[in-house]
Amino acid sequence: MQIRSDFCIIMVYAQPGRRALPSFLRRIHDTTMKVSDMKKIAILGGGLTGRLLAFLLAEQSIRVTLFEADNREGAGSAAYIAAAMLAPLAEAVEATPLVTALGKHSVAAWRTILARLPQPVFLQESGSLVVWHGQDKPLAKQFEQHLTRAWQGNSPAEIWQAEQLSSHEPQLAGRFQTAFYLPDEGQLDNRQVLSALAAGLEQLGIDCRWQTTASPDSLRQEYDWVIDCRGHGAQADWNRHPSAASRLRGVRGEVARVYAPEVSLNRPVRLLHPRYPLYIAPKQDHLFVIGATQLESESRAPASVRSGLELLSALYAVHPAFGEAHILELAASLRPTLNHHNPEIRFNRQRQTVELNGLFRHGFMISPAVCAAAARLVCHLLDGSTVPQQDEASGLTFDECPA
């Protein structure tokens, strides 16, 4: 077996069903489990989407063995350093309508998923805040225009003046005179999610084999279906078809984690800035995740001094107490991105392969919808029933690609 280090494998063995299928697998009949009794399925990739898809399938009594090239914490995945913000309103300014729609119910979706996991996960549902310095007021006007257009003329933002800022975010009082409050947004603790999903798989009796890798090509000789959730690690395989409409690339993101005991924020805060826009995601115990950079680069090098200075200077401008914060990490990762900036689910019957990719910087925001759609596709394929061109619940298309 050829060994590679850029992905992991989840092997799924379909077992007889013991429970009715939930709503996210609706229209899939009980015959799914009977047809799939003898099927052997491998899912490649144990980051966020791989773990979540494996969990959803395992809940349907489909046996899963998890092979993870990295450790149990998933430290090599893009999800490990993500801010895990659930912000479809704010992201609508730049994201596609499909991504916005996929993320619209992300807070509610995660609430139901977390309730089924054996470990507690930090989930904040306090909305988010967009602020700017006085000299950057034109950026605020532009942001509001884009937001209004993205939501068909009805801006979801509430305008907070100084008095409301002082009441809801006391430490920002006097520093910003006006802000946009975006309700129905939230955030997770990314690392707690990865750990809880691993614990959930183990609680379901799933064999999780950490720090184990294998080749996808060799798996096709042994397994009936291969489901690829490797993200950027699948670049060569995804781009193997010259005629394919979408091309996978990595977009570099750099994120800082700091401990700031003198700072308290009640919700994620975004700073509009002409050169250094950034977001601040306050986690538990005065831990803050700060991000800004989005570079068209596939370099896996550590974060540069320049980007670190820019990031932390903008952070200090939000509140000077961040100047006394302890820098815990300054990390970089590659976000799997397709040229149209939408996620895709595609399959090939001859190669018996399903591929999920292109979640870009929206992994936590849209993964519940994407993974649920992928689970429905898998059940169609195992059942032998007709695969619809479009998944009704999510709006994602199921693209059958050539061999």
Side-chain angles (χ1 to χ4, degrees):
M1 179 177 290
Q2 181 182 355
I3 303 298
R4 288 176 55 179
S5 61
D6 57 345
F7 62 90
C8 67
I9 299 161
I10 306 169
M11 294 186 299
V12 184
Y13 298 86
Q15 299 290 325
R18 294 188 295 272
R19 293 179 288 179
L21 296 174
S23 59
F24 76 82
L25 292 174
R26 62 183 177 276
R27 297 186 306 277
I28 305 301
H29 305 294
D30 290 340
T31 54
T32 299
M33 296 305 173
K34 296 177 182 178
V35 170
S36 63
D37 284 352
M38 302 303 293
K39 298 293 185 181
K40 295 175 62 177
I41 306 168
I43 303 179
L44 289 74
L48 175 61
T49 56
R51 294 184 193 209
L52 181 54
L53 179 56
F55 180 76
L56 295 179
L57 293 174
E59 283 191 313
Q60 304 314 307
S61 301
I62 299 176
R63 296 300 303 169
V64 179
T65 300
L66 172 64
F67 290 77
E68 171 58 72
D70 208 343
N71 55 26
R72 187 180 185 277
E73 289 71 30
S77 68
Y80 188 76
I81 72 165
M85 294 195 299
L86 311 177
L89 303 183
E91 290 297 324
V93 172
E94 295 183 355
T96 67
L98 175 59
V99 167
T100 301
L102 291 171
K104 186 175 181 180
H105 304 293
S106 57
V107 173
W110 274 113
R111 194 186 305 123
T112 62
I113 292 169
L114 298 183
R116 307 198 301 273
L117 296 178
Q119 292 180 186
V121 173
F122 171 71
L123 170 63
Q124 187 181 66
E125 303 178 64
S126 303
S128 63
L129 204 61
V130 180
V131 300
W132 58 91
H133 297 293
Q135 66 270 24
D136 298 324
K137 188 175 180 179
L139 293 178
K141 184 177 181 180
Q142 185 181 55
F143 179 90
E144 186 176 31
Q145 290 172 344
H146 288 321
L147 189 63
T148 300
R149 182 172 63 250
W151 289 89
Q152 289 79 48
N154 299 308
S155 174
E158 300 176 13
I159 299 177
W160 282 4
Q161 302 296 345
E163 182 178 349
Q164 291 165 297
L165 270 172
S166 178
S167 174
H168 296 290
E169 292 289 358
Q171 288 202 305
L172 298 183
R175 304 198 59 79
F176 303 97
Q177 297 305 308
T178 312
F180 294 136
Y181 171 67
L182 303 177
D184 303 321
E185 295 198 332
Q187 62 163 328
L188 299 157
D189 185 298
N190 58 319
R191 296 179 183 180
Q192 289 179 9
V193 170
L194 292 174
S195 177
L197 283 170
L201 289 172
E202 293 161 355
Q203 186 182 64
L204 290 169
I206 303 308
D207 182 11
C208 298
R209 303 179 187 181
W210 311 110
Q211 298 178 314
T212 305
T213 62
S215 164
D217 290 334
S218 63
L219 289 176
R220 292 189 183 93
Q221 304 172 15
E222 191 174 351
Y223 298 95
D224 298 292
W225 280 92
V226 175
I227 306 174
D228 193 337
C229 301
R230 288 177 292 160
H232 183 258
Q235 185 178 37
D237 287 316
W238 186 278
N239 295 338
R240 69 182 179 274
H241 298 298
S243 60
S246 62
R247 308 295 289 175
L248 180 65
R249 71 186 192 281
V251 174
R252 180 179 168 93
E254 297 172 335
V255 175
R257 297 173 73 90
V258 305
Y259 170 65
E262 297 181 16
V263 181
S264 293
L265 295 175
N266 298 317
R267 56 189 51 80
V269 175
R270 293 173 183 258
L271 173 68
L272 301 179
H273 191 281
R275 291 186 61 192
Y276 314 128
L278 85 161
Y279 56 79
I280 305 169
K283 308 301 182 183
Q284 293 172 304
D285 302 321
H286 298 279
L287 175 68
F288 296 84
V289 178
I290 302 98
T293 58
Q294 181 175 304
L295 307 174
E296 284 292 341
S297 168
E298 293 187 304
S299 170
R300 292 186 178 272
S304 67
V305 171
R306 173 183 291 181
S307 62
L309 286 172
E310 293 174 350
L311 190 68
L312 297 175
S313 295
L315 177 65
Y316 180 78
V318 172
H319 198 290
F322 277 116
E324 302 303 318
H326 301 158
I327 302 174
L328 304 179
E329 293 179 25
L330 187 57
S333 70
L334 294 179
R335 300 151 174 170
T337 309
L338 298 172
N339 48 292
H340 47 57
H341 289 158
N342 282 324
E344 278 191 30
I345 303 175
R346 67 188 193 185
F347 67 100
N348 183 289
R349 294 182 189 273
Q350 289 182 311
R351 294 173 64 87
Q352 293 188 285
T353 301
V354 176
E355 298 168 290
L356 290 71
N357 224 311
L359 277 72
F360 187 32
R361 67 185 188 197
H362 310 298
F364 282 91
M365 189 178 84
I366 66 176
S367 57
V370 174
C371 288
R376 287 188 285 272
L377 172 61
V378 170
C379 286
H380 277 299
L381 294 170
L382 295 179
D383 190 323
S385 59
T386 301
V387 175
Q389 290 186 340
Q390 185 176 55
D391 179 56
E392 182 179 343
S394 67
L396 287 162
T397 58
F398 294 142
D399 298 318
E400 185 165 11
C401 57

